[in-house]
Every structure is written in C-alpha cells, then in structure tokens.
Amino acid sequence: MRRVLSVLVNDQPGVLARVAGLFSRRGFNIESITVGNAEEAGLSRMTIVTSGDERTLEQVMKQLHKLVDVIKVNDLTEEPMVARELVLIKVTATATTRPEITHLIEPFRAAIVDVGRNSLVVQATGDMDKIDALIELLRPYGIKEIARTGVTALMRGSLAKVRV
Amino acid sequence: METQKLDVMPAPEVSAPAAGPGVMTGAAMLVESLKREGVDLMFGYPGGAVLPIYDALYESGIRHVLTRHEQGAVHAAEGYARVTGRPGVVLATSGPGATNLVTGIADAYMDSTPLVLFTGQVSTDLIGSDSFQEADIIGITMPITKHSYQVRDARDIPRVVREAFHIASTGRPGPVLIDIPKNVANQTAEFEWPERVFIRGYNPTYEPNPAQVARVVEAIREARRPLLYVGGGVVHSGAAEELREFAHKTGIPVVSTLMGLGAFPSADPLFVGMLGMHGTFAANRAVMECDLLIAVGARFDDRVTGKLERFSPRSKKVHIDIDPAEIGKNVPVELPLVGDVKRALAAMLPEVGPVGTKAWLDQIRAWDDQWPLRYKTEPGTLKPQQVVEMLWEATGGDAILTTEVGQHQMWAALFYKFKRPRQWVTSGGLGTMGYGFPAAMGAQLAKPGEKVICVAGDASFQMNMQELQTVAENGLPIKVAIINNGYLGMVRQWQQLFYDRRYAESRIGAPDFVRVAEAFGIRGMRAQTPEEAREAIREMLEHPGPVVVDFVVPEEENVFPMVPPGAGTDEMIGRWDD
C-alpha cells in the first residue's frame, strides 16, 4: 500500500542521508521524497511516498522517531490531507498538434511554459492520479522528457481529527 | 632566534576574539569539556589529524591509555562503560584510526553500551577531496551510532560534547561519535559551557503510562503461569533491586538473556536460567508453557526466540522497554509499557501481590531436575565447563567476567553463577570475537580493586592479543583464561551438527600462549588436566600481576543443550536424554 509520510527535521547536514538510510536498510523503496524549508527557521519538512506492509512501516516510523534530528513523524495516508506534485513534460509538438495539445491540457489547468520548434513544455500541478492521467493523455504525441517533483503534502486544517 | 616551522599545517586560524579569559583552541575546549563531564580516563591512539587534541591532553590530568590498535581502545571503553554505567571515551585519528573503531561502535550500538567517540578529521577545506587519511566516518557509522556530529566551528564544541554525553547515557544508551576537523581543533574562540542540555528531537520516555501500568498489574493478577524474561535493559536501568523485590513479592520465576545475566542472582530459587539458543531446558520450556511472559528490558532477539511462530505460543506478552521501536518489532505484544524499566517496576511494586505460583514453580523445578545443565567428565581430561566451574568456585562467584565470542562464552554464561549486575561483560548482539580481552582492560581500569577474568577462546584471543602490551605497560592484573580446543569451536560445532563434520577452515593454529605472554613480560601457564587446572587457577589468582593461562581442552566438546538454527525453542537437542 502506498503511504505518505510527513517528517519534520532539523535542517542539518546529513539529515537526508540519515532518513533515507533508514528506509534502504529496511528494504523500503522511496517512491519520492521532497524536502524544503518548514514554517520555522532551522527546520525542514520532508514528504516521503513509500509502500510496504504495515508492520515494517510502523518499524520505520519508530526508527525515524529515534533519530535525534527528527522532530516529528506523521503518517498522512489515512488522514485528510492535501497532496500535490508538480510535473514538467516536454512533449513533441508540430504545427498541427500544437493547438490540439493546448486544448487537451486545458481541463488539467496545466500551462505551456516553453515553446520550441518541435516541442512544448507543459507544467501541471495536482495529485499523483491527475499527473499520471495527464502523462498518459500526452503520451501518443511523443514524450521526450518528464521531470516530477514528487508529492509534497500537508494535513488539512478544517477536517483535522480531534484527538480524544 | 626564530626556528623554522616544520608543520605543514597553516598557522591556527583565529576567527574569534584574539584574547580574553575564556578564549582557547577547539582542542583545549574539548579537554575542558571532558573535564566538566567528569571524564578522568580515556582510550585512544594518536595520529596526524588529532595532534592538536593530543597536545591539549598532554599534562591535562586526564588519564589516556594508549592501546595497540584502535579496536582495542573502543572495546576497552566498552568494558569500562559496562562495569560503571558511565560512557566510555575514545579518541582516534582520521581515516584508518576512525575506521578501526567501526566494529566496536557497531558492538556498542547492538548492546546499548554508552560511548562517546572522538575522531580526528582532515581540515574542512580538504574534506571531500580524498586527502591523506580522510574517511567519511560520519557516513560510515550512520547506521551504528545513536547520533553523530561533525563539528565545523570550535564554538560548538562545548555544546556538542555536552549533548553527546547526554544522548549516549540517557534513554536507551548507545555510542555517539564526534568528528573534529584538524583546523577546528586549532581554531580559537570563547569557551561557553551550556547551562543545560536541550535537544528538541530527543526526549526519551522515562515515566510509564499509569493506565498501562494498571493493565499490566491486572494481567499479572490473572496469570497462573507468569514468567519474567529479563535482559540487558535491567542492568542499564539499574533496576536489579526492583526486579528482585518484584519477583519475590509476586513469586514469579525469572529467565534471563545473555545480556541480562547478573541482573538477577543466579543462586536465587526463582532463577530458572538463561533462555534461548543455548539456554537451559527448563528456561526454554518455561517460556513455552507460561501464560504471561513479562519481557523486561529485553528485545526478543532471534537467538532468544528461535523460530518466531513457535515462540511462547500460550502466553500473553508484556513488553517493558524504554525504546518504543522495540515494541512489536519481532513478536506481537498485547501489553506494551514504554518507559524506564526501573520506574516501571517501581510503579508496579506497590500494586502487586503473591500470584500463587507454587504449582508452576514445582513444574519448572521438575523440568530442571529432569534435564539439568550438565556435562560428562572423564578422569585426566580437562573439560571446558569444568574450567569455568573452577573459576567460579575459586573466585567465590565475585569476579568480573569478560568473554570473547563462541563456545567458551556460552560455557561461561551457563556455568559461572553471577551475583550482581555489571559483573558480566560480553558481546551479545554483534558477537564480536576480539572483544573480551580489551574489554577486560577497561573493566580493570574502572575497578582496580576487583578480580577481572577474561574467559577467552584460542581463536578469539588471537584477534586482539596485541593488547598484551597495553596490559603489561599499565600493570593491569587481568587474568586471561584461554579455553584452547584448537578450533573455532562454535563454527566447528555447527559444522559437526549441520555440515556433516566438514571442518572447513575452523581448525585454527595458535602460537604457544605461555611463551607469547612471557614475551610481553606477563606470567604464562598451561593446564591440561583437572588437577593442573585447579593449581593454575590458584596460582593465577594469587599472582598480583596479569596472567595468561592456556587451558587445553578436548577438541570436539559441544555446547548443549541447543536450539538448532530455524527450530523452535521446544526442539532442543543435546539434553543428555540419550
């Protein structure tokens, strides 16, 4: 099962290696990992997408907690969350297909951010399913390159569960 | 007259106030910080990158024991930590000095031994350039340290040292490494000792949850065949007295892991024995049949559980541990209790009463009578188990025992009857051959007045016997009892039992240990019969200095009983029922 973890860490050299190392040691594949500054100076938030059985994941989360540079670990999978990723897709585009592609990506609220002689770069944000769907839609035109940021996520404010 | 500077290092850079009362070099700050942490003894080996630190240590008043290999230093520090409960301190240079520490760090991590290790590093401007004696020791040791630091500014040294000692010795203890680049050791700055330690991401849970305590107490009240399964956590937590009271108040029998030996007196009528692969029959049977298994500072290691599906199938399980990551890691647990073992036991003590275990104790005693721990003796032949029993008798069970790893380790665990915690120093989790002899140095330095005996194997002893020089130089009156069977005994035993007696590379030669000892100026003796052994042990204990005794024992003696690898703990072999 796919899991989304949110990990608040000290912005220290080596912290990414410590976190990533824990996953690889337990045989866990990291599908994506995003890191950036968090709301507080000196802290970073990592969003990690991974998959694996529940017991091993629980062990990984507990081991993450034990890292001195880890402040907080949340499993967002079952929580109401906002999860978004950004993708850049360089797709083959000729004079004839260009208007077609432009039209096609509209419902995705995607944007064309670069126009070349034989290609377009499409930029889109959304959850993973939406990005996957967009890629599949563009595939017949000939995709030259894809760069995905990986999911970054936060728990929703309004629907956050109240702990009893 | 000006003398030419031969040092290729640039002159120490001055990045802080040039003068002032508290201005000093990073190296001096390190020494000052060690003093403030109460360190009076450390182990190490100098080299290029730690020259500034050694210079600051020179005439500092802190005793530094120079070992003959960095591995000797780290195991010695482990031995010190295990008998005192305080962090052992190690200093090594960059590159090979640092990498030589790796086995000892992994060992300490597995057995939750508090260590603070300092490694030199090349100067910050050279890091990452494959410069001379450079190794990424932080990266190398990441999976085997509780935490690590690379200091990039001398101003951080006091805080980092303080944090390191705090992290190493609190919660579940473990090794913490501090890597200090040479230019940082030379950098001068104002020394500022932090008033208190605050580490946001580090708050071990000491106080057990009262509601959970109540649930455990209830489970104990309802149990008919309860069993305490105690481990090294009882020793680390200093909870031996609470454990003894708890067992006696409730009448619950006790089995111990290898690491827990000494936490509960072996002579106590409630002590059943060691459990696991080489545990006693009664101990493993009790685990099998109990209806409540109370794990106290133990971690359900595979050498304890055997085949997981067959482990203690009839019991509800309680797990008391300070490390939440241990709960449910190997075995599902109905009643977890996260917290300090000492406080957890103390919290339960007033709430518990006698459980009514008489029938259960009688049953366990009957198992033990039926399949006791024993071995066959033959006139004129010296048996390894006999050597351990003789050592036990001759020392009144009061010696500090360290061991190497293998058959002799198991015999020592089974046949020496321990009285108190911190009397037993062995490599449990990692199973490090070469551990016991240097660990004995650390133990002896920490406890100069006590008898320290290293029970060794002929193969293990050869892994760190260069430390004979350290022992001789420091006049450490350690007694080394080599159980010499001419084999890597445990490897040979497995080959005999599971590889059709194909003794691939387990036959191992050894030098004449008596003459080896003498070459270092140490008393050497040999014993080949029970009579000679008794005499040698008497002489060895009377001799005021270090002694190495070569006890020559039969080649094909096995450690029994045994749970074969992959089997359940109810499938023990070698119970002498043939």
Side-chain angles (χ1 to χ4, degrees), chain B residues 414-538:
Chain B
L414 292 168
F415 289 94
Y416 200 95
K417 307 297 173 199
F418 297 94
K419 288 182 173 174
R420 57 178 199 278
R422 304 203 176 281
Q423 193 191 349
W424 169 242
V425 181
T426 198
S427 168
L430 197 66
T432 309
M433 290 172 69
Y435 169 91
F437 181 45
M441 304 193 305
Q444 187 74 79
L445 281 155
K447 304 276 177 187
E450 299 209 27
K451 282 267 180 290
V452 176
I453 301 175
C454 169
V455 178
D458 48 311
S460 283
F461 185 63
Q462 291 184 65
M463 282 210 176
N464 269 323
M465 64 179 176
Q466 78 283 348
E467 299 305 332
L468 282 166
Q469 182 58 28
T470 314
V471 166
E473 236 168 53
N474 289 277
L476 305 176
I478 294 166
K479 319 299 177 192
V480 183
I482 303 174
I483 312 288
N484 187 348
N485 56 14
Y487 274 98
L488 281 159
M490 192 59 94
V491 172
R492 189 209 53 72
Q493 176 170 340
W494 282 50
Q495 287 170 334
Q496 179 188 341
L497 298 173
F498 314 118
Y499 292 87
D500 199 23
R501 274 212 163 92
R502 289 158 57 82
Y503 294 156
E505 297 301 317
S506 57
R507 178 112 189 101
I508 190 164
D512 180 334
F513 289 120
V514 176
R515 287 171 63 200
V516 167
E518 284 166 355
F520 286 90
I522 288 172
R523 179 92 180 266
M525 288 188 270
R526 179 168 294 115
Q528 313 198 50
T529 65
E531 295 69 34
E532 286 175 16
R534 210 172 291 280
E535 184 53 26
I537 289 169
R538 195 189 55 76

Side-chain angles (χ1 to χ4, degrees), chain A residues 8 10 14-15 17-18 25-26 40 43 55 58-59 62-63 65-71, chain B residues 109 138 142-143 146-149 167 172 199-202 323-325 327-331:
Chain A
L8 192 64
N10 282 326
V15 70
R18 284 180 204 276
R25 247 171 281 139
R26 304 272 162 185
E40 195 183 314
L43 298 187
R55 234 182 94 193
E58 187 190 319
Q59 184 54 213
K62 283 174 168 176
Q63 295 291 347
H65 262 296
K66 280 174 71 173
L67 294 178
V68 172
D69 280 330
V70 169
I71 311 288
Chain B
Y109 188 67
I138 296 285
M142 217 168 250
K146 189 170 172 186
H147 194 49
S148 55
Y149 299 86
I167 291 170
R172 179 180 182 172
I199 309 163
R200 189 169 173 186
Y202 179 74
D323 181 359
I327 310 283
K329 187 178 80 176
N330 299 333
V331 170

Side-chain angles (χ1 to χ4, degrees), chain B residues 22-95:
Chain B
V23 172
M24 52 178 96
T25 65
M29 285 192 202
L30 173 57
V31 172
E32 178 60 26
S33 303
L34 288 176
K35 285 184 180 170
R36 295 197 187 208
E37 285 294 338
V39 174
D40 52 9
L41 174 68
M42 60 197 291
F43 303 88
Y45 205 103
V50 281
L51 279 168
I53 299 172
Y54 272 91
D55 189 64
L57 271 173
Y58 195 58
E59 296 174 343
S60 69
I62 295 177
R63 181 172 183 188
H64 175 279
V65 173
L66 174 69
T67 56
R68 288 305 178 273
H69 189 291
E70 286 87 353
Q71 191 182 359
V74 63
H75 292 324
E78 286 185 273
Y80 173 90
R82 288 279 288 279
V83 301
T84 61
R86 294 196 301 273
V89 181
V90 179
L91 173 57
T93 194
S94 64

Side-chain angles (χ1 to χ4, degrees), chain B residues 324-337:
Chain B
E326 286 300 339
I327 310 283
K329 187 178 80 176
N330 299 333
V331 170
V333 165
E334 285 83 359
L335 287 169
L337 187 53

Side-chain angles (χ1 to χ4, degrees), chain A residues 51-151:
Chain A
S51 54
D53 70 276
E54 203 133 330
R55 234 182 94 193
T56 318
L57 190 88
E58 187 190 319
Q59 184 54 213
V60 167
M61 286 181 65
K62 283 174 168 176
Q63 295 291 347
L64 279 174
H65 262 296
K66 280 174 71 173
L67 294 178
V68 172
D69 280 330
V70 169
I71 311 288
K72 207 195 248 178
V73 184
N74 276 320
D75 181 359
L76 300 183
T77 316
E78 313 285 335
E79 307 286 338
M81 63 162 166
V82 188
R84 295 288 182 270
E85 114 172 274
L86 183 144
V87 67
L88 296 174
I89 308 164
K90 188 184 281 175
V91 59
T92 308
T94 61
T96 45
T97 57
R98 197 169 286 151
E100 209 179 313
I101 293 170
T102 312
H103 188 65
L104 197 67
I105 62 171
E106 221 169 76
F108 289 85
R109 295 187 192 171
I112 290 164
V113 290
D114 179 67
V115 180
R117 195 184 294 273
N118 298 311
S119 66
L120 293 172
V121 175
V122 176
Q123 171 198 298
T125 55
D127 59 29
M128 284 174 93
D129 291 346
K130 174 180 160 185
I131 304 293
D132 288 344
L134 178 62
I135 290 170
E136 285 319 304
L137 214 54
L138 291 176
R139 204 176 287 284
Y141 296 93
I143 290 176
K144 291 167 177 280
E145 280 177 284
I146 291 178
R148 296 174 77 149
T149 57
V151 170

Side-chain angles (χ1 to χ4, degrees), chain B residues 385-426:
Chain B
Q385 301 92 331
Q386 231 174 341
V387 176
V388 176
E389 281 191 331
M390 286 179 188
L391 287 170
W392 170 62
E393 283 164 13
T395 54
D398 278 321
I400 292 174
L401 235 63
T402 77
T403 76
E404 303 288 349
V405 169
Q407 286 186 317
H408 68 275
Q409 177 190 30
M410 292 300 123
W411 285 317
L414 292 168
F415 289 94
Y416 200 95
K417 307 297 173 199
F418 297 94
K419 288 182 173 174
R420 57 178 199 278
R422 304 203 176 281
Q423 193 191 349
W424 169 242
V425 181
T426 198

